[in-house]
Amino acid sequence: MYHKEKSIQIKNSASALYNNLGVLRIAPRRLTYFTVVHANVVNMVSASWDGLNYSHRELQSKEPNVATSTSLIMQAAFCVLPSRDLLVVTSQKGIQMYESDGSIMVYWHALDGPETPTAQAVFARGISAVWENYICVGVSSGALLVFDIPGKGSNITLSEVLEEHQEAITDLASECSGSQECIADLVSADDGGSLCVWKSGEEFQLLNKIPGSDMCCSSVKLWKGAVVAGYGTGQIRIYEAVTGILHAEVNAHARWIYSLDIAPFSGLLLSAAEDSLVRVWHLSMTPESNTVEVAHLHNECVTDTQICGAKFCDGDGYAFAVTGYDLSEIIRYTQT
C-alpha cells in the first residue's frame, strides 16, 4: 500500500520526545516544511515536491537576557489558522511563536521557573490551533494557556488559563475533520492518561473529563467528534468526545506509543511507537449506531529504531513521514 521514498537528511538527530515531527504543506508554492527537535534546537527543512530543492534552518531555544539558551525544547508544531500559519516551539523556559517559515519570532511567553531547585520540572508541551483565532499550549502544571492570535502582527495575548488537569500536559488536538456540527473542538491529554474535552469560544467550556488509569496518554487526536488516544501501554482507545463512551480499544503496539496522526479527509489513522512499527488504520463512522470501527491496513518496520514522530503529509493520507530517536533523517512513505 505504501512504499519508501528518498529520505530527507537533517542537520541533527531527533530527540526521544512524543510527537517529534511537524509537517506543513504549502500547496501554492509546492513545498512542505518539516520540523524535528534535537535538544535545544529545532531542525527545519523546506522540501520542494519534486524532491530537487531542500533548504535548512535551525531555530534555537530562547530565554531572556541569555545569548545562547541551553533550555531543552519539548515540542515544535505548526498551527494553521484561517488568517495565518505559525510555528510554535515550547521549551523549559517558555513558548516561542514564529512565522511558519521560521524567519521571524513574533511572540515569546516566559514560564515561571521552579521555586526551588528540587521542585517539579517546568516546561510547556502540547500545542494546537483551535477555532479561528486561538492557539492553546499545555504546561507541566497541567494548565492550558489560551492565546488570542490577531490576523497579522505580533499583538498576541494570553486570554485564558484553563486548570483542569492535575498532571503535566502531554498533547493537545483540535477537531480536524472541518465538520461544523461537532460540539467539542479541543481535547487535552496528560501524563496520568486523563483527557479533557473542550468547546472553544470567548471562554472555553469543559464538556467532559475522561479519567485516566495512571498510564500516560502520549498522543491524542479529535476526529468527527471522536477522541483517538495513544498510550504508554501500546493501546489506542477511541472515545465519543462528549459522552466519554468507549467505542474501541486496540492493542496496537508492543511498546509505548509516541505519535498518532489522522488524515481527516480519508479517516486514515497513523500510529508509531517504540516497537519500531508505524501502522496505518482506517476509521469509519456509522452515524445510525453512532459507532466507530477500526481496520488495520498497513505497517512499516523501521528496524532498530525507537520511532518518536509520525505525520501524514496531506489531508488524504497519500504520504506520511517518520522520525526516530538518534536518526538524522526524515523517512518518507508514499502510496503505491
Side-chain angles (χ1 to χ4, degrees):
M1 185 174 171
Y2 289 88
H3 67 273
K4 196 172 173 182
E5 291 273 331
K6 184 172 172 243
S7 292
I8 298 173
Q9 300 305 308
I10 49 178
K11 295 283 171 71
N12 301 291
S13 61
S15 293
L17 300 167
Y18 305 145
N19 308 301
N20 190 2
L21 177 62
V23 176
L24 178 67
R25 184 181 160 91
I26 314 279
R29 295 174 56 200
R30 302 184 64 78
L31 285 177
T32 302
Y33 293 152
F34 297 91
T35 57
V36 182
V37 174
H38 168 85
N40 64 334
V41 173
V42 178
N43 296 294
M44 190 166 179
V45 183
S46 159
S48 62
W49 292 358
D50 58 14
L52 298 177
N53 294 309
Y54 299 98
S55 65
H56 296 262
R57 172 172 264 153
E58 286 187 3
L59 303 176
Q60 293 275 348
S61 62
K62 298 266 193 303
E63 55 185 292
N65 312 322
V66 177
T68 52
S69 171
T70 55
S71 106
L72 293 176
I73 293 173
M74 304 302 291
Q75 195 180 3
F78 292 103
C79 289
V80 176
L81 293 164
S83 59
R84 69 196 295 191
D85 301 340
L86 292 174
L87 170 61
V88 181
V89 177
T90 60
S91 73
Q92 295 171 311
K93 296 292 182 187
I95 298 159
Q96 297 155 236
M97 296 190 190
Y98 291 86
E99 294 295 355
S100 59
D101 61 357
S103 58
I104 301 166
M105 187 163 89
V106 292
Y107 183 73
W108 156 259
H109 176 87
L111 294 177
D112 298 330
E115 284 155 18
T116 61
T118 54
Q120 197 176 2
V122 172
F123 56 86
R125 177 178 62 189
I127 302 163
S128 182
V130 188
W131 205 45
E132 294 191 342
N133 59 314
Y134 297 110
I135 288 178
C136 295
V137 178
V139 290
S140 48
S141 66
L144 301 184
L145 309 182
V146 181
F147 295 96
D148 193 335
I149 312 295
K152 55 178 192 284
S154 58
N155 190 23
I156 293 168
T157 52
L158 176 63
S159 62
E160 199 175 354
V161 178
L162 308 172
E163 295 182 316
E164 272 301 326
H165 288 274
Q166 305 302 310
E167 300 201 38
I169 302 296
T170 47
D171 196 23
L172 304 181
S174 58
E175 173 61 57
C176 66
S177 69
S179 163
Q180 298 303 312
E181 289 92 68
C182 298
I183 306 165
D185 50 14
L186 177 70
V187 61
S188 50
D190 70 24
D191 264 336
S194 294
L195 302 168
C196 287
V197 178
W198 307 86
K199 178 170 178 53
S200 68
E202 296 277 309
E203 288 187 357
F204 278 56
Q205 286 173 269
L206 179 70
L207 297 177
N208 189 17
K209 194 165 183 178
I210 300 168
S213 48
D214 284 341
M215 176 41 86
C216 173
C217 173
S218 47
S219 193
V220 71
K221 289 284 169 245
L222 186 57
W223 181 73
K224 293 190 175 177
V227 173
V228 183
Y231 294 87
T233 54
Q235 288 179 319
I236 297 171
R237 289 186 199 139
I238 302 174
Y239 296 95
E240 187 176 331
V242 178
T243 62
I245 293 168
L246 182 64
H247 283 307
E249 186 174 62
V250 184
N251 294 321
H253 291 273
R255 300 283 296 275
W256 204 287
I257 290 176
Y258 263 61
S259 193
L260 296 178
D261 197 25
I262 287 181
F265 307 141
S266 59
L268 294 179
L269 167 67
L270 192 62
S271 64
E274 285 184 334
D275 60 3
S276 304
L277 289 174
V278 192
R279 297 190 188 272
V280 181
W281 314 80
H282 183 250
L283 304 179
S284 50
M285 287 278 185
T286 314
E288 300 79 37
S289 56
N290 198 21
T291 55
V292 182
E293 294 190 348
V294 190
H296 178 254
L297 295 184
H298 185 80
N299 45 275
E300 288 286 347
C301 180
V302 187
T303 313
D304 297 335
T305 301
Q306 178 184 331
I307 298 169
C308 47
K311 274 260 192 301
F312 285 116
C313 300
D314 57 280
D316 295 304
Y318 174 71
F320 65 88
V322 174
T323 56
Y325 173 56
D326 237 11
L327 280 191
S328 297
E329 60 180 345
I330 299 167
I331 303 167
R332 292 188 295 174
Y333 298 90
T334 307
Q335 280 187 21
T336 31

